[in-house]
Amino acid sequence: MEAVLAHLRGAIERGEYAMGDKLPSEAELCRTLEVSRPVLREALRALQTMGLTVSKTGKGTFVVANAVEDPTFGDYAASDLLEVRRHIEIPVAGYAAKRRTPENLDHLAHLLDRMERETDTTAWVAMDTLFHIAVAEAAQNPVFRRVIEEIRDALARQSAFLTELGGRREQSNREHRAIVDALVDGHEQHAVEAMSHHLDRVETSLTDIVRSTRAGIPAQGSSAV
């Protein structure tokens, strides 16, 4: 999928497909690129997330930009999502370290153990969003959970995007583990630092993907949510 995405992205950025152009049909692209339809569709979804194309039902996929600027996840641009997450999730981690209950810690530990064993991307992404909701729950303020629930779909889309294109799920698991360790210790500053580091890696990952070359080499060291 990464190679197909790099090929199509490169063609758009080089002007082989100009703004307003319709991409070839899925059937034609599958034949030309010698890939299955599910693989092609993943690449096409990634192009749309990057803001390069838009899909019109019954009409096809059209080019709307020739450079990646700010990926969109559901209703939210990546930059807007990250800005809000920094203002919410970093202090939330600190509150969670002070207020977490044994039940909160058990739930987080169980969830993290499952994530570290999971190999299916879709299942892992679902648990990734649950992890961040569970941290918000541990802060013992229902408003925090409500905010994270509001952006849950965007978090899942971002997580899938970074996991598929960044290949850094294991490192994300390690960052999650550091957050949980800080909550277990009840160390507010360590929890704040662990969450801040995690979101730094999310930003780095997005930047790597946006700036990646057209050579077809996937960005390495990127992060999920």
Side-chain angles (χ1 to χ4, degrees), residues 130-167:
L130 290 176
F131 175 86
H132 286 270
I133 291 172
V135 173
E137 287 179 337
Q140 310 306 324
N141 183 329
V143 179
F144 287 142
R145 179 195 167 104
R146 188 65 177 268
V147 171
I148 303 303
E149 285 277 10
E150 168 63 27
I151 61 174
R152 181 176 185 171
D153 177 67
L155 291 180
R157 291 170 184 264
Q158 183 186 71
S159 179
F161 182 75
L162 297 178
T163 300
E164 291 169 357
L165 298 184

Side-chain angles (χ1 to χ4, degrees), residues 96 99-110 138 140 183-184:
R99 301 172 181 171
R100 82 289 185 277
T101 66
E103 291 75 20
N104 293 141
L105 295 178
D106 286 345
H107 177 51
L108 281 163
H110 178 66
Q140 310 306 324
L183 299 190
V184 169

Side-chain angles (χ1 to χ4, degrees), residues 2-3 32-34 37 43 66 74 76 84 86-87 96 111-112 116 125 134 152 163 171 184 194 212 218:
E2 291 91 342
T32 302
L33 301 176
E34 299 182 344
R37 187 157 296 200
N66 56 18
Y76 306 111
V84 169
R86 287 190 181 281
H87 281 285
L111 189 57
L112 189 54
E116 290 174 341
V125 164
R152 181 176 185 171
T163 300
Q171 190 167 346
V184 169
S212 64

Side-chain angles (χ1 to χ4, degrees), residues 124 168-176 198 223-225:
W124 186 90
R168 208 203 58 128
R169 187 166 62 196
E170 290 183 5
Q171 190 167 346
S172 185
N173 282 339
R174 289 194 292 272
E175 291 162 11
H176 288 163
H198 182 48
S223 171
V225 301

